[in-house]
Amino acid sequence: MRSPAISANKIKDILRLKMDIGLSHEKIAQSLGLSKGVVGKYLGLAKNVGLDWPAARLMSEAELKQCLHVRRQQPFPYVRPDYGRLHLRLSRSGNTLLSEWERYKTDYAEQKIYRYTQFCQHYHSFVLRLGYSLRQVFRGGERMFCSSAVSAIPLSEGGCAHIFLATMGASRLAFACVAAADTAHEWIRCAVRALLFYEGVPRLIIADGSNGMVPIDAPRDDEMVRSFARHYGTSVLPSMLQDARHKAQAVLQVKFLERWIVRELRHRQFATAADVEAALQPCLERLNHHPFRHLPGNRAIAFAEWDRPSLSALPAQPYEFSSPPTEDTTAEALPPAAKGEPKARILIAESDAGMRTYMEQLFSNEYQVISAPNGPLALQAALEHRPEMVLSGLARPEPDGFDLLGALRAHASTSTIAFILLFPRLNDNADEEGMRAGADDWLAKPFNGRELSSKARGMIALTRSRRETQRSDERLRAVPLTILEGLSEGLMAVDSEWCITYLNTAAERRARLPRTYLANRNYWEAFPTLQGSLVELEYRRAMASRMAARFEYYDVHAQTWTEMSASPVEDGGILLYANDITDRKRAQEALQGAEARLSAELQAMSRLQLLGTRLLDISDFEPALKEVLSAAISMLGTATGTIQLYRPQTQTLEIVTSQGLSVEFLAHFHSVKCDNSAASGGAAKHGKRTIVQDGYLDYRFAAHRALLDSAGIRAWQSTPLFGRGGKLLGVLSTHFREPHYPLDRELRMLDLYARQAVSIIERLYTEAALREQQEYYVMVLNSTIDGLMTLDAESRFVYFNAAARKMLAGQGIDADSLIGKRFLTEAFREASDDESGLAFHRAARDRVPAEVENYYAPFGRWYLIRFFPMSEDRMAIIVQDITERRSTEEALRESETRFRALAEASPGLIWQVDVNGNAVYLNPRFREMLGVPLKDLMGAAWHKVVHPQDLPSYVAALDKAIRQHGRLLHRVRVKRKDGEWRWLETNALPWFTSEGEYAGHVGISIDISEALEAAR
């Protein structure tokens, strides 16, 4: 049992002890006699809504509970459908759980929804909570259930008053009146009153015979009811329900109505039937306007919405009896056969021995009974004896009644036998399965023996009628049935009395009724909903005038289009053709709808084009964005909105333009983080549009509820703005004053406006980047040490960088004075005939870069000049002062010349190696002494003239000197050209480039062989 909620005073005590005194949860719980969970719960609620103790102390009890109650409600994670209204909508023809799920998925496409399986499971759970009389779903205007109360109401003046009860299937709207007697005549009279009460005619009137009322087995009563049904264009099913579980369809609804009325009238005394009639009306009024417990509305509202629009119109005159009723209208049982005629045969196929014995005893006095315990024996008996009726109660796992029924219908000799299915268990789809299989009737066990006997008489008469019809149909079979059965159009033949004499497979499929049911049945009785429609008008005109008719008909119940035609035949009947053109019609409607949508989108595109044209004339950034925002707000039919720019440095969104919002609102949301705390932040974080259909139902925005209320905002959408490279630029948001979800067309147009905003923002960033780039280029050009000058297409100076200006200033020339002057003819005439002038003409003519080193006499300096052609015949000139370099190179050449002169004149062997020890220079003395060409000693080839015993130590010493950049002093033997080995003393030092980089060793080797000999 759920514990009662604590009082507001205790809630205040919890907040005071925690926020004011600072006690722990455990201390507060002990002090107030509560659990720690309750204490934590209310402290958490207060924290969630930002409630502190000074504010809570001033609140009344109602204000405190309202504050905590409203804020603590958490929305259901899934959008929950309105199952009550959905249950009622299933009464509309064509509506199914699948179509309702598709509608639910479309309505809440941007939110979390159930899958189809979950959707159905929750719906069935909801249905189980309904009363038994409300669980079944019936099509609007399809069925009216009627019966009589089990017990009559005694009258103080003598006699009793019988109560006739009726209720509509879809809405359960109730009707009751007093019947003078329990007869078919009174039943019809009360049914006429019920139809007048409902102001229309349903397709079926189902009369519950479980109370013994409506004895329609007698021929006279049967004809009376048929006449009543024909007059109103409906069908009467005067039988007990086949399946006990389906009592919710025909029995439980009227039983519920009976209990309601008996409860109201059981403690009252009535003198006459008129008093009872007067007391019934207030009871009905209260019942029909009493709200449903789990469904929206009441019976009267549901009737006006679901049943009333689908009812057929009442005829101009009410039904009148052809003859006055007699005193005794109770039907007598028809004998199974007249005197002298053989008894009719009944085949009982029942696997349960006890039930089989019971049915044998039930029918043995009036019929010839043949029984079989299983399907194969039953089929064999049916083929041998050809009974007038088969009763099958066979159960699985053996072949059941459906298998036997299929086998009988497959044989021409047994296809006309009437078949009653006895279901061994409850089956929700018994009527649908039985009809599809071709059964003529069905009952659920246990059943009423009297009811079964009554059905048996009707089924035997049906079999005899079918067999007679089968014999009379021989002339129709002369028609090439193969061709007729192969037609995709439904074909049906009726005689002059509108009796259906033939229908092909397509017609059977369209009618959704078995051929055996429709054969020899009156067309208007088989299809009562067509009475009073265009179909009846055209068909009767074709029958009367004997002229063909063709027309299109729309069935509001099935929501289908049919092309129909009627062609007279020689025997007085007509052939009826029907072709389903629903797809074609829907394609036409879709095309018309597409044209309308295209027209609307073209208008929107025109407005968008005008906006784009106006934006071209707006150079300022913020007014352009404001123009886009205003157009988007106008297109969506709202009044407020913002555009925010994304700041990647802080990962926040900042409002740059807005419309219709207060200063307080803009200050609060001026800068928001890219998270789920705001819709725009969530859109930026997840990279997709966020739509909040009702902000009051979304817990994420509970903290902003007061601010949203003051701004008049109930729903909003936020569309992220992405650049061409997928880079987040900002968010465009619009707000709505009522719960709202934009249409797909509006969202598509909003995407186009978002692209306009993206173009403007990208233009802003591009211009800023271009300015930064230009500033950077200027900085780079001014930072280079080389002079840069640019010429236009006429070879006039247009730009000098800082280095070029400095060069010119060193020669006493102001660079600005050269702007606009021609390069060779005005500014530097002396260069027109030297190498620089020739290189310039070559680069301008061939549009290729040119480079030249030139001595410019007026300045007395050397320059390296590079010419680079640019677009539009412009030219860039890069000038580098190389006077110092030229001087250095000249000195270096002189030094090298002296070195070579000394080396070649020296009697010693002078050599030079690189950093790898490879010879790069040898003086001519090597050739004279060794007798080997110098080219053959270059690189590592000099190793071959060194004595093998000395080579390893010499190479090691050389490598060490190279590694350490140190001095080399070593003795080594080499082979002279006459073959004699001579001792050389080598002395080498490292040498470096002008930049100080180590380049190898330079050394001299002197022949010391004679000195060594003398020393010995």
Side-chain angles (χ1 to χ4, degrees), residues 699-719:
Y699 72 96
R700 295 174 299 169
F701 310 108
H704 308 307
R705 184 74 50 77
L707 187 61
L708 295 174
D709 287 343
S710 63
I713 296 175
R714 185 71 179 268
W716 57 89
Q717 69 78 31
S718 295
T719 300

Side-chain angles (χ1 to χ4, degrees), residues 309-438:
S310 302
L311 294 175
S312 302
L314 290 168
Q317 297 296 329
Y319 176 76
E320 296 180 358
F321 295 97
S322 57
S323 60
T326 60
E327 292 296 328
D328 185 12
T329 57
T330 303
E332 298 180 358
L334 280 175
K339 291 183 178 181
E341 294 183 1
K343 290 184 178 181
R345 294 186 183 91
I346 294 180
L347 172 60
I348 299 174
E350 175 59 58
S351 53
D352 183 30
M355 181 61 70
R356 189 168 62 251
T357 302
Y358 168 73
M359 288 192 288
E360 289 175 355
Q361 295 174 355
L362 181 65
F363 293 108
S364 59
N365 293 332
E366 299 181 1
Y367 306 100
Q368 295 182 19
V369 179
I370 307 166
S371 61
N374 55 49
L377 292 178
L379 178 61
Q380 182 180 353
L383 294 174
E384 291 178 359
H385 300 285
R386 295 190 63 198
E388 276 80 2
M389 182 183 70
V390 175
L391 290 168
S392 174
L394 299 176
R396 294 287 185 186
E398 300 294 333
D400 63 358
F402 288 104
D403 300 322
L404 177 60
L405 175 58
L408 292 177
R409 293 291 185 252
H411 287 79
S413 60
T414 58
S415 61
T416 58
I417 298 176
F419 197 100
I420 297 180
L421 277 172
L422 303 175
F423 290 96
R425 59 183 176 82
L426 296 180
N427 190 338
D428 286 334
N429 302 317
D431 53 352
E432 183 178 353
E433 293 176 359
M435 180 175 290
R436 288 182 177 178

Side-chain angles (χ1 to χ4, degrees), residues 537-705:
L537 177 65
E538 293 293 337
Y539 281 178
R540 291 192 182 277
R541 183 179 63 81
M543 180 73 82
S545 64
R546 311 306 298 164
M547 295 179 64
R550 181 181 294 273
F551 57 94
E552 294 179 354
Y553 172 69
Y554 179 69
D555 187 345
V556 295
H557 299 287
Q559 297 183 355
T560 58
W561 279 93
T562 307
E563 185 179 39
M564 311 182 80
S565 63
S567 302
V569 294
E570 295 180 356
D571 62 356
I574 56 175
L575 288 178
L576 308 178
Y577 296 89
N579 183 28
D580 191 341
I581 59 172
T582 304
D583 292 340
R584 189 182 74 191
K585 284 288 189 179
R586 286 177 179 171
Q588 293 175 353
E589 293 174 357
L591 180 60
Q592 294 172 355
E595 290 176 350
R597 290 192 299 272
L598 179 60
S599 176
E601 291 186 2
L602 286 176
Q603 293 178 2
M605 290 297 293
S606 298
R607 293 196 297 269
L608 186 62
Q609 184 178 10
L610 292 176
L611 172 63
T613 303
R614 291 198 304 271
L615 292 177
L616 293 176
D617 299 331
I618 301 177
S619 58
D620 198 0
F621 165 71
E622 186 173 345
L625 280 183
K626 197 171 191 68
E627 188 78 15
V628 173
L629 177 62
S630 176
I633 289 174
S634 176
M635 183 271 296
L636 292 174
T638 182
T640 61
T642 63
I643 292 181
Q644 300 161 286
L645 287 186
Y646 175 65
R647 306 301 185 189
Q649 299 83 0
T650 58
Q651 294 188 350
T652 58
L653 295 169
E654 294 183 4
I655 297 176
V656 294
T657 186
S658 64
Q659 179 174 320
L661 295 170
S662 64
V663 176
E664 180 185 3
F665 184 93
L666 294 176
H668 184 82
F669 291 103
H670 174 72
S671 179
V672 298
K673 295 182 178 179
C674 294
D675 55 22
N676 294 325
S677 61
S680 58
K685 176 181 178 182
H686 301 293
K688 62 179 182 180
R689 179 185 286 114
T690 298
I691 299 177
V692 179
Q693 189 171 358
D694 191 344
Y696 288 2
L697 303 181
D698 199 321
Y699 72 96
R700 295 174 299 169
F701 310 108
H704 308 307
R705 184 74 50 77

